[in-house]
Amino acid sequence: MSETVLSVRDVEAFYGKIQALHGVSLDVREGQIVALLGSNGAGKTTTLKSVSGLVRAQSGEIRLRDKPITTMAAHAIARLGVVHVPEGRHMLKGLSVTENLELGAFTVRDAQLRRRRLEEVFELFPRMAERRNQDASLLSGGEQQMLAIGRALMQGPEVLLLDEPSMGLAPKLVTDTMRIVKRLNERGTTILLVEQNARLALKLAHYGYVLENGKVRMQGAGAELRNDERIIQAYLGGAG
Ligand code: ATP
């Protein structure tokens, strides 16, 4: 079995006095897509934020391969290759597509490597290549999501944390986005995917976790969860 890239053990996290995570544990193995599912407020975003250091885990442990990262600063965690694409796309207005992508690689010192990654992103997203000199804020919602993912790829992620990449997109673009997630994974990127659309996420995911009130309630292989009656009732609209 492949190596565990990311392991989260018994993590508790708070916003002030409000406890958002009550001992979350999960594993992401090399080369996998792992889906994190659950209804609004279940703790999906908070789980990603505790991994990337944007929210501090109060207890528990998070490891990247064998390295504990639980108390590291967000920028240091990012530098190790834990790259978080938050919900919403956060383009920088007034900067071109290329400039936005280059910002993603500001920690990469090797200029040749930066150029190579940029070419790879353009190869993966021909739309970005066509629009490379355009102001990023003029891109459509779907294109901005591609740009956000492209910017994350510029950092050369060991593990990519994707928070609801399909949020707010038209149905066709949702399908396109999921296709991109699949392609990234086929090219070797390990992905922890938060997604409201459980049906789509479980089509792609090797493994999935269902969060409820800040706890893991269910877990299993993607296909297994997709066929689980409880999941179908709660998250797949009842009709398998
Ligand atoms: P959604 O799909 O709505 O983003 P989620 O599963 O990602 O939901 P979280 O955003 O992680 O859930 O929220 C977990 C819990 O923490 C919820 O009860 C939420 O109200 C609370 N919470 C999240 N962010 C904050 C915050 N900044 N301040 C206070 N409470 C928060």
Side-chain angles (χ1 to χ4, degrees):
M1 195 172 276
S2 50
E3 194 184 338
T4 300
V5 177
L6 182 70
S7 92
V8 174
R9 282 289 159 277
D10 304 321
V11 164
E12 297 192 309
F14 293 76
Y15 295 101
K17 285 186 180 149
I18 301 169
Q19 185 162 7
L21 302 183
H22 297 260
V24 169
S25 297
L26 59 85
D27 284 315
V28 181
R29 292 182 190 280
E30 179 131 48
Q32 283 189 333
I33 298 177
V34 171
L36 196 52
L37 310 171
S39 36
N40 284 339
K44 306 180 297 295
T45 297
T46 308
T47 302
L48 292 195
K49 285 183 172 170
S50 22
V51 171
S52 60
L54 297 175
V55 163
R56 187 57 64 215
Q58 298 260 315
S59 64
E61 187 173 56
I62 304 169
R63 283 177 180 258
L64 178 67
R65 299 192 188 275
D66 281 333
K67 196 179 178 62
I69 58 170
T70 329
T71 57
M72 283 174 69
H75 65 87
I77 295 174
R79 199 161 285 161
L80 288 177
V82 177
V83 182
H84 189 166
V85 182
E87 219 178 280
R89 281 124 211 163
H90 310 292
M91 292 305 100
L92 287 174
K93 281 188 188 157
L95 293 187
S96 70
V97 165
T98 305
E99 285 163 340
N100 265 280
L101 288 171
E102 280 169 347
L103 272 178
F106 76 101
T107 57
V108 181
R109 295 227 172 83
D110 181 343
Q112 225 175 340
L113 182 59
R114 282 202 306 268
R115 267 198 303 279
R116 198 167 69 229
R117 290 212 181 126
L118 190 61
E119 285 316 310
E120 280 170 12
V121 170
F122 284 151
E123 198 187 301
L124 193 62
F125 302 122
R127 294 286 286 176
M128 296 298 103
E130 284 164 26
R131 284 155 195 257
R132 64 176 83 197
N133 297 320
Q134 206 176 76
D135 187 320
S137 61
L138 300 175
L139 297 178
S140 70
E143 290 165 350
Q144 289 195 15
Q145 185 59 61
M146 282 183 214
L147 182 54
I149 293 174
R151 199 166 50 186
L153 294 177
M154 294 293 290
Q155 294 179 60
E158 279 273 324
V159 56
L160 190 60
L161 313 177
L162 287 180
D163 198 350
E164 307 227 16
S166 70
M167 178 77 124
L169 298 181
K172 175 175 179 318
L173 291 176
V174 171
T175 318
D176 289 351
T177 306
M178 288 301 145
R179 213 171 280 143
I180 287 164
V181 171
K182 184 155 189 262
R183 246 176 86 207
L184 289 182
N185 177 250
E186 284 165 354
R187 289 164 50 114
T189 308
T190 303
I191 297 170
L192 178 56
L193 171 68
V194 163
E195 189 48 65
Q196 280 279 327
N197 191 327
R199 191 187 301 276
L200 281 183
L202 288 175
K203 264 191 202 155
L204 305 182
H206 299 92
Y207 203 82
Y209 293 86
V210 180
L211 284 184
E212 218 177 277
N213 299 322
K215 286 192 191 115
V216 173
R217 283 291 173 205
M218 276 184 261
Q219 59 176 290
E224 205 178 292
L225 291 181
R226 210 161 60 225
N227 295 314
D228 188 306
E229 204 46 49
R230 292 165 300 174
I231 303 259
I232 292 168
Q233 289 305 329
Y235 302 106
L236 305 181

